[in-house]
C-alpha cells in the first residue's frame, strides 16, 4: 500500500504532467510578488496585472512610493482589482511597516525566521494566513505550504479532507506528509490552483482531470 507521501507526490506529478510547470509567482521582483498577493483576493489575475502595470508606469511600485502617495492616486491605479479602497489600505499598511520599521528594506524584512515573519505579517491589518503564507513562500522563499479554498475543495473530493476543514489543519496535513522543500511547495500550490481554476471547479469537469484514478468523488459519481 502506498504511503500518503507517495500518494501526494503522485498527485503532484500527474498535475505537473497535465499542466506543465506553472513558473509561479508571475512577477519581476519580490515586492511585486507581495503587491500581487495583497491585490489578488476575489479577483482574476489579469485584473491584478493591470493594476501592477499601472503602478509601474507611474513609478509607484516601491514601498516608499506607495506609502507616500495620496490614497486617491493608489486607488486609481488599483481600481481594476475591486474592493480597491480596502486593498489600498492593506498596501499602505504593509508599506508603512516596511518603511518605518525596516527603512524600506524588503530583504531585511523577509530575512526573519519563519515564525517571526509569519507573526509580523499576520499583525498587519488585512493580511490573513493565505496572503501571509503566499508572501513567505513566493517572495521569502521559505518552506511554507500555502493552502486555499481550491485545496479544500479538491482534497475533499479526492477523499483526504472533511468539507469544512480549517486552514491550519489543511496546511499541517501537507507539511506532515511532504518533504520540506521550497520548490515542491511552490509548484504544488500553483498546480492545485490550476486544477481548481480550470477543471475541479464548483461543478467539476472530471473528463478533463488527470486525477480520476485517485478521486473518491469520481469513483462515487
Ligand atoms: S476527478 Fe473530478 S472531482 Fe476529482 S479532482 Fe478531478 S475534477 Fe475534481
Amino acid at each position: 500500500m502506498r504511503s500518503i507521501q507517495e500518494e501526494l507526490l503522485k498527485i503532484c506529478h500527474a498535475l505537473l504532467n497535465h499542466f506543465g510547470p506553472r513558473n509561479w509567482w508571475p512577477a519581476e521582483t519580490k515586492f511585486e510578488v507581495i503587491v500581487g498577493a495583497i491585490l489578488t483576493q476575489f479577483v482574476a489575475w489579469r485584473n491584478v496585472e493591470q493594476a501592477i502595470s499601472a503602478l509601474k508606469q507611474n513609478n509607484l511600485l516601491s514601498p516608499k512610493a506607495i506609502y507616500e502617495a495620496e490614497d486617491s492616486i493608489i486607488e486609481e491605479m488599483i481600481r481594476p482589482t475591486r474592493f480597491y479602497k480596502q486593498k489600498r489600505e492593506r498596501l499602505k499598511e504593509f508599506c508603512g511597516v516596511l518603511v518605518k520599521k525596516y527603512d524600506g528594506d524588503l530583504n531585511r524584512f523577509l530575512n526573519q525566521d519563519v515564525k517571526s515573519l509569519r507573526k509580523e505579517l499576520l499583525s498587519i491589518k488585512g493580511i490573513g494566513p493565505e496572503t501571509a503564507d503566499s508572501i513567505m513562500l513566493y517572495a521569502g522563499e521559505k518552506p511554507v505550504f500555502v493552502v486555499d479554498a481550491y485545496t479544500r475543495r479538491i482534497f475533499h473530493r479526492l477523499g483526504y479532507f472533511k468539507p469544512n476543514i480549517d486552514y491550519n489543519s489543511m496546511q499541517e496535513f501537507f507539511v506532515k506528509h511532504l518533504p520540506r522543500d521550497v520548490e515542491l511547495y511552490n509548484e504544488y500550490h500553483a498546480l492545485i490552483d490550476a486544477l481548481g481554476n480550470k477543471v475541479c471547479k464548483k461543478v467539476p469537469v472530471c473528463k478533463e482531470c488527470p486525477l480520476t484514478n485517485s478521486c473518491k468523488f469520481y469513483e462515487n459519481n
Side-chain angles (χ1 to χ4, degrees):
M1 214 172 101
R2 270 202 200 95
S3 68
I4 296 183
Q5 178 175 120
E6 285 167 332
E7 288 173 13
L8 290 180
L9 291 174
K10 187 179 156 224
I11 288 169
C12 188
H13 289 145
L15 292 173
L16 188 60
N17 282 338
H18 187 78
F19 292 109
R22 308 309 293 157
N23 300 318
W24 269 28
W25 188 285
E28 284 174 9
T29 64
K30 290 179 177 188
F31 184 64
E32 197 178 313
V33 172
I34 296 172
V35 172
I38 292 173
L39 295 181
T40 196
Q41 270 194 322
F42 312 114
V43 75
W45 183 252
R46 63 178 174 278
N47 299 50
V48 177
E49 282 176 330
Q50 275 179 37
I52 287 178
S53 164
L55 289 166
K56 253 186 216 167
Q57 278 165 20
N58 289 279
N59 291 322
L60 286 169
L61 201 56
S62 77
K64 194 163 180 284
I66 289 181
Y67 177 62
E68 289 176 352
E70 294 281 332
D71 289 355
S72 58
I73 290 176
I74 300 297
E75 284 172 14
E76 194 51 41
M77 303 292 114
I78 67 168
R79 191 180 284 265
T81 65
R82 299 170 70 204
F83 310 110
Y84 57 90
K85 283 187 188 293
Q86 200 183 53
K87 289 181 178 177
R88 180 265 303 152
E89 198 183 345
R90 290 174 185 178
L91 278 180
K92 286 219 154 201
E93 286 275 345
F94 176 74
C95 292
V97 170
L98 274 187
V99 169
K100 287 186 270 185
K101 201 166 158 193
Y102 295 88
D103 222 6
D105 185 344
L106 182 58
N107 286 329
R108 194 149 68 83
F109 172 75
L110 290 173
N111 280 345
Q112 302 181 68
D113 63 77
V114 169
K115 211 170 155 193
S116 319
L117 181 57
R118 193 168 201 264
K119 193 170 168 208
E120 180 148 37
L121 280 164
L122 291 175
S123 74
I124 299 171
K125 197 175 158 201
I127 294 195
E130 188 188 331
T131 308
D133 291 343
S134 297
I135 290 171
M136 289 201 290
L137 177 62
Y138 292 104
E141 295 176 14
K142 311 274 189 200
V144 174
F145 199 95
V146 184
V147 294
D148 57 9
Y150 289 154
T151 319
R152 182 178 293 109
R153 181 163 75 206
I154 292 167
F155 281 82
H156 165 59
R157 285 174 176 169
L158 291 175
Y160 292 97
F161 292 166
K162 294 213 165 82
N164 55 354
I165 185 170
D166 64 33
Y167 187 96
N168 289 342
S169 306
M170 282 197 282
Q171 189 177 51
E172 277 163 22
F173 171 79
F174 287 99
V175 170
K176 181 173 168 200
H177 294 293
L178 286 175
R180 236 169 104 87
D181 180 328
V182 173
E183 261 181 56
L184 174 67
Y185 285 9
N186 175 322
E187 197 64 61
Y188 212 148
H189 173 65
L191 289 164
I192 288 170
D193 185 85
L195 187 75
N197 188 251
K198 297 177 204 294
V199 182
C200 195
K201 305 191 245 193
K202 218 170 181 180
V203 179
V205 192
C206 298
K207 64 178 187 331
E208 290 175 17
C209 182
L211 303 182
T212 47
N213 286 340
S214 331
C215 183
K216 292 273 180 292
F217 177 93
Y218 183 77
E219 203 179 295
N220 298 330
N221 290 275

